């Protein structure tokens, strides 16, 4: 294993004790120095993490669980580095699992009851109440993503048994391995029907969302598919269909979300859907999209996070001008007007414009549908820097056609649609599945209890058997040692009571009888 | 020769611990660490044949895990024993128990293995019978009887085979008996009913060894003996995976943290049985050590709750900041989401035949998820105001961090 992924884990120990992000920033700088620049996915991860860490210095300044936050944030970074840089399947899997654990722990940063840790409006649904506290969100997230991690462990093991431990040497995968690996990628990147954990993961502090939605966790799904695109080539259609359906779902429901962080989460599902759709059939397009989306989404979360942090509410009604500038620049990236955005856009078919129009609609809702209030703060400055990172790519001229997507801005005030606001009731499906699992667990628990009770009655049966045997034993004992003795005694006294002459006559008669018999013979 | 002296001295110190308490008991277990990597020829006995104690190689990993965890648990148990007013001889019996556990994988002669198993059963029975909770006398006897069912089946199987020393070979009937005995002692599905009672009602430091180490050590012999039998290994692997799912589902019924952890042991024994049945040495050792450390940490968390709050009910037991961190780390490690248990699960998947993949997938998922449900219960109970004593918090934290630290150990 390389040294670089180890550094954030060392930083995690340091930050857990110091409760400051010094280790995080130092480890990011050290990793950049060690790995250098050039690998686009690594650059995305390193710079987004560095910016997130700096952003968190302000955002998490007075947080109660600061040590917890910093330690797990470092572990999150280390896990993604491990996943990205490992060619050995075991280390890649370890990184993948580390992402699960870290995201789960980071969702638990706020306490239940903290307004900023809640998600939802509290309305009652058929199977669920639409209000998720950090502990609910964390459980939902981990219970879903573990479906993917277990699949990845088994799927990669089948592939490793066939081709060896180096991922780069894997070729055409067996259907079982391909199915499991793709399932893992879909779950990780919140593809349908495994989408809703990503929405409630918004219980985590906003900088976590900035990292989770851009360069780590969800990005790992399509990155895995890109890495294995040769081995998965025959199955590209599955990724394409699932990705496109999720892209449409995420893009559409984003238009109707009231909470800005949920809106952005739905947008992430949409863009990760597009990345998934192209990951196997056009890995270069998917990689470019992951990079462009990563910088844009990190910036968007940071911009929204400024208002959330300053006003202490999940429903900010206004954003500062620099934050809106960062949002606008991020939108420009997603529409293809910055070098990173243009590169991604240029590699994708023209019908992708429809998704760009949706993007303009929901980002427009943040930029145009909210007041402008407040000036430059360190948080909005960092959001601007994150958005500006999308300018760093090789210059490429945007296509004029792409500007048609700006027509989507007209969607920034959509009419009320209950089903869309309710995310097409996917959380209800999730809650129903959870209840079904609970029913299975209760049934197994009851079965076990019955068997246990039956076994606990075994001592009574044993006692009855033992009493039966003891009774039999006593009967034989009595017969031998009481009954027989008494009988012998009785016989003896009976015999003793007979006069001696009778015995003499009997003896004489017997002798006579023997004599007569002998004579006759 | 020096090995015999060291072993005798550690037994002597443990016996001294019966009278003098913690210090000689700790010294006794610490002394056994000197045996690591060493061998001791025991000569031949009539009928039983030659025997050897091997504290190195593959067995050495199991011995080292047992000794180190034994030390940590003994340090931890001081506050616990004082809180519950346990006598000095508690420490001595604990030390003798740890030594007996160390001898289980170290012996190579199956008759001696049986003797070591019985020594561990007797010492742990005494600890449950005298220092346990609730209906401890009845549960102690229940534990003893089930253990005897396992031990005697193992002994009869081994005796019928007539091959006590390596290379072992057990024909069908002896193998079936011996393996059945080991599975009873592991507490796999169907023969698990004793386990939640015994592990939950044992004094908590004992639970921290009983649950992860004692039952887990049987996987060492399962791994060693199964390839030397005509038994269908794949069927046992399937049974192991079913046990993993079954045990995981049982956790959700519990309202007591110690019983929940005991059910979790059933699930993990399922994974270990599957790994042993598939002959995967790496998976067995990674799953054994990973489970041992994380489970011990979690039992220590429950002991902290008992000591500081007199509470062990889920939903009522509150976590102090140290236990909060320890539980999070311990349960994530136990889940195999990160840490060496994850690698153990990966190795298990690697050695599984493809038809086992669907069941194994369910088993890996099930054994992960219940841990987070458990943490959710602890989390929702709120924050404890009492701070745990350092002697309890430190071993708990070390045990919960170790599954991650070992991930970066060079030999892994």
């Amino acid at each position: 294993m390389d040294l670089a992924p180890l550094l954030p884990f060392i930083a995690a120990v340091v930050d857990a004790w110091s409760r400051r992000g010094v280790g995080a920033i130092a480890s990011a700088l050290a990793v950049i120095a060690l790995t250098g620049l050039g690998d686009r996915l690594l650059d995305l991860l390193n710079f987004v993490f560095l910016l997130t860490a700096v952003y968190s210095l302000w955002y998490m300044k007075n947080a109660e669980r600061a040590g917890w936050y910093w330690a797990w944030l470092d572990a999150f970074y280390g896990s993604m580095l491990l996943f990205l840089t490992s060619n050995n399947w075991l280390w890649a899997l370890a990184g993948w699992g580390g992402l699960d654990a870290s995201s789960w722990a980071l969702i638990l940063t706020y306490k239940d009851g903290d307004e900023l840790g809640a998600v939802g409006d509290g309305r009652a649904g058929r199977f669920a109440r639409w209000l998720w506290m950090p502990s609910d969100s964390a459980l939902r997230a981990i219970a879903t993503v573990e479906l993917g991690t277990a699949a990845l462990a088994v799927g990669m093991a089948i592939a490793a048994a066939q081709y060896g431990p180096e991922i780069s040497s894997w070729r055409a995968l067996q259907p079982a391995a391909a199915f499991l690996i793709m399932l893992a990628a879909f779950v990780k990147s919140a593809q349908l029907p495994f989408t809703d954990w990503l929405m409630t993961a918004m219980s985590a502090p906003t900088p976590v969302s900035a990292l989770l939605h851009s360069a780590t966790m969800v990005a790992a799904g399509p990155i895995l598919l890109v890495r294995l695109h040769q081995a998965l080539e025959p199955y590209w259609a599955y990724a394409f269909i699932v990705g496109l359906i999720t892209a449409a779902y995420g893009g559409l429901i984003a238009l109707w979300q009231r909470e800005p962080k949920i809106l952005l989460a739905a947008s992430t599902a949409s863009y990760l859907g597009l990345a998934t759709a192209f990951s196997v059939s056009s890995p270069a397009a998917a990689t470019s999209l992951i990079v462009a989306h990563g910088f844009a989404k990190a910036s968007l979360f940071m911009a929204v996070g400024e208002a959330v942090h300053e006003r202490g509410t999940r429903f900010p009604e206004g954003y500062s001008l620099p934050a809106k500038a960062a949002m606008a620049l991020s939108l420009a990236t997603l529409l293809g007007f910055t070098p990173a955005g243009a590169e991604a856009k240029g590699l994708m078919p023209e019908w992708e414009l429809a998704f760009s129009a949706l993007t303009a609609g929901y980002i427009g809702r943040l930029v145009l549908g909210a007041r402008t209030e407040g000036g430059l703060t360190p948080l909005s400055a960092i959001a601007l820097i994150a958005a500006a990172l999308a300018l760093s790519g090789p210059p490429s001229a945007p296509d004029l056609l792409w500007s048609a997507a700006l027509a989507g801005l007209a969607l920034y005030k959509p009419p009320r649609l209950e089903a869309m606001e309710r995310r097409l009731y996917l959380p209800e499906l999730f809650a129903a599945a959870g209840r079904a699992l609970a029913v299975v667990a209760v049934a197994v628990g009851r079965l076990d209890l019955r068997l246990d009770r039956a076994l606990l009655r075994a001592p009574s049966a044993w006692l009855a058997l033992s009493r039966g045997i003891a009774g039999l034993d006593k009967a034989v004992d009595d017969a031998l040692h009481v009954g027989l003795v008494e009988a012998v005694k009785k016989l003896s006294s009976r015999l003793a009571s007979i006069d001696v002459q009778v015995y003499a006559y009997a003896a004489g008669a017997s002798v006579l009888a023997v004599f007569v018999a002998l004579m006759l013979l | 020769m020096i090995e015999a002296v060291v072993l005798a001295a550690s037994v002597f110190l443990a016996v001294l611990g019966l009278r003098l308490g913690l210090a000689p008991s700790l010294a006794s277990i610490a002394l056994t660490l000197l045996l690591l990597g060493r061998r001791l020829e025991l000569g031949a006995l009539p009928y039983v044949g030659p025997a050897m104690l091997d504290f190195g190689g593959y067995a050495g990993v199991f011995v080292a895990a047992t000794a180190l965890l034994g030390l940590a648990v003994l340090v931890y148990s001081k506050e616990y024993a004082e809180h519950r007013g346990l006598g000095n001889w508690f420490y001595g019996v604990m030390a003798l128990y740890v030594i007996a556990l160390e001898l289980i994988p170290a012996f190579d002669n199956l008759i001696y293995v049986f003797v070591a198993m019985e020594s561990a059963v007797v010492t742990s029975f005494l600890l449950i019978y005298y220092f346990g909770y609730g209906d401890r006398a009845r549960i102690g006897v229940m534990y003893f009887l089930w253990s005897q069912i396992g031990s005697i089946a193992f002994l009869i199987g081994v005796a019928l085979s007539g091959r006590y020393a390596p290379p072992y070979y057990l024909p069908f009937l002896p193998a079936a008996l011996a393996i059945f005995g080991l599975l009873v002692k592991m507490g796999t599905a169907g023969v698990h009913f004793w386990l939640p009672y015994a592990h939950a009602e044992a004094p908590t430091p004992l639970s921290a060894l009983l649950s992860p180490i004692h039952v887990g050590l049987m996987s060492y012999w399962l791994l060693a003996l199964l390839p030397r039998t005509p038994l269908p290994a794949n069927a046992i692997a399937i049974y192991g995976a079913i046990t993993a799912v079954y045990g995981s589902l049982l956790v959700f019924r519990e309202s007591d943290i110690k019983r929940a952890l005991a059910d979790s042991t059933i699930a993990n024994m399922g994974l270990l049985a599957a790994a042993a049945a598939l002959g995967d040495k790496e998976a067995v050792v990674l799953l054994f050590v990973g489970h041992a450390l994380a489970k011990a940490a979690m039992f220590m968390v429950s002991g902290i709750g008992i000591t500081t709050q007199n509470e062990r009910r889920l939903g009522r037991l509150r976590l102090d900041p140290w236990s909060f961190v320890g539980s999070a780390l311990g349960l994530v490690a136990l889940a195999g989401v990160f840490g060496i248990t994850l690698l153990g699960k990966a190795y298990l998947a690697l050695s599984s035949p493809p038809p086992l993949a669907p069941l194994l997938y369910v088993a890996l998922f099930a054994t992960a998820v219940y841990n987070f449900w458990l943490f959710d219960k602890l989390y929702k109970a709120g924050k404890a105001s009492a701070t745990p004593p350092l002697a309890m918090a430190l071993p708990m934290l070390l045990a919960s961090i170790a599954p991650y630290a070992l991930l970066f150990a060079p030999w892994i």
Side-chain angles (χ1 to χ4, degrees), chain A residues 478-489:
Chain A
D478 286 352
L480 281 173
H481 300 124
V482 181
L484 187 62
V485 171
E486 283 298 319
V488 170
K489 203 171 148 189

Side-chain angles (χ1 to χ4, degrees), chain A residues 66-346:
Chain A
W68 172 273
Y69 172 82
W70 283 110
W72 284 108
L73 196 73
D74 293 340
F76 205 24
Y77 176 45
S79 300
M80 190 65 189
L81 264 179
L82 194 57
F83 170 71
L84 268 186
T85 58
S86 303
N87 193 26
N88 182 298
W89 74 283
L90 284 169
W91 287 121
L93 179 67
W96 186 277
L99 288 171
D100 293 356
S102 310
S103 58
W104 166 78
L106 285 166
I107 295 171
L108 287 169
T109 303
Y110 289 129
K111 290 197 294 189
D112 282 3
D114 286 354
E115 161 62 15
L116 292 186
V119 171
D121 53 17
R123 275 196 275 176
R126 186 175 173 80
F127 295 104
R129 185 173 170 235
W130 285 58
L131 185 68
W132 295 275
M133 289 296 152
S135 60
D136 307 318
S137 304
L139 191 57
R140 283 177 114 232
I142 197 79
T144 313
V145 296
E146 278 315 294
L147 280 170
T149 303
L152 189 68
V154 180
M156 278 187 145
I158 296 173
Q162 191 179 1
Y163 294 114
E166 306 298 322
I167 294 173
S168 55
S169 65
W170 294 356
R171 292 296 173 263
L173 294 179
Q174 297 174 25
F179 170 77
L180 289 166
I181 289 173
M182 290 180 91
L183 175 67
F186 296 160
V187 175
K188 197 73 149 191
S189 54
Q191 301 300 291
L192 283 173
F194 312 105
T195 308
D196 211 64
W197 71 267
L198 188 62
M199 310 298 163
T200 46
M202 290 302 109
S203 289
T206 317
V208 175
S209 309
L211 189 59
L212 189 147
H213 287 249
S214 58
T216 59
M217 194 70 188
V218 289
I223 290 172
L224 175 72
L225 297 181
V226 166
R227 287 178 76 175
L228 290 172
H229 72 274
Q230 284 180 318
L232 291 168
E233 209 173 354
Y235 312 99
W236 71 270
Y238 298 101
F240 190 77
I241 292 166
V242 170
L244 269 197
I245 293 173
T246 309
Y249 169 82
L252 285 169
I253 65 158
L255 287 170
W256 275 272
Q257 297 309 304
R258 271 189 66 227
E259 287 182 57
K261 283 174 71 180
I262 305 287
L263 180 156
L264 292 178
S267 153
T268 300
S270 178
Y271 272 89
L272 268 292
L274 284 175
T276 301
F278 293 109
S279 56
V280 181
S281 54
S282 177
T287 306
S288 299
L289 185 62
I290 291 166
V291 173
H293 169 260
F295 289 130
K297 193 51 63 69
S299 167
L300 283 164
F301 270 109
M302 289 172 178
V304 165
E306 183 202 36
V308 170
H309 183 254
E310 298 290 322
R311 294 169 185 77
T313 172
R314 294 182 282 136
F315 304 93
E317 290 173 351
Y319 302 100
S320 70
L321 189 63
K324 283 197 170 180
M327 289 179 195
L329 189 52
S330 300
L331 176 62
T333 297
L334 293 173
L335 299 191
F337 299 125
T338 62
E343 188 189 347
K345 202 86 175 167

Side-chain angles (χ1 to χ4, degrees), chain A residues 1 6 9 17 64-65 68 72 79 82 89-91 93-94 97-98 100-101 104 108 110-112 134-136 139 142-143 146-148 150-151 153-154 157-158 160-161 180 183 440-441 444-445 447-449 451-452 455-456, chain B residues 138 142 146 190 192-193 197 246 249-250 252-253 259 322 324-325 327-329 331-332 335-338 342-343 345-347 349-352 354 357-358 360-361 364-365 368-369 372-373 375-376 379-380 383 404 407-408 412:
Chain A
M1 193 178 71
L6 198 57
F9 291 101
W17 285 106
E64 190 179 337
R65 291 182 181 151
W68 172 273
W72 284 108
S79 300
L82 194 57
W89 74 283
L90 284 169
W91 287 121
L93 179 67
D100 293 356
W104 166 78
L108 287 169
Y110 289 129
K111 290 197 294 189
D112 282 3
S135 60
D136 307 318
L139 191 57
I142 197 79
E146 278 315 294
L147 280 170
V154 180
I158 296 173
L180 289 166
L183 175 67
V440 172
V444 169
L447 169 74
D448 194 79
L449 189 66
L451 294 170
D452 190 11
L455 274 173
L456 285 175
Chain B
R138 189 165 144 270
M142 180 200 279
W146 275 97
H192 67 280
F193 296 98
Y197 289 104
Y246 189 81
L249 289 171
L250 290 183
F252 295 96
R253 69 182 172 173
R259 272 191 70 93
W322 293 115
F324 186 87
V325 172
S327 300
L329 292 172
L331 288 171
V332 168
V337 172
F338 195 50
L342 175 62
L343 290 190
K345 284 183 167 184
Y347 271 109
L350 187 63
S351 55
S352 299
L360 188 66
Y361 170 54
L364 295 192
F365 174 71
V369 164
F372 298 99
W373 174 84
F375 189 84
D376 189 61
Y379 181 93
K380 282 189 168 138
K383 190 177 169 185
Y404 305 96
L407 196 59
F408 299 103
I412 300 268

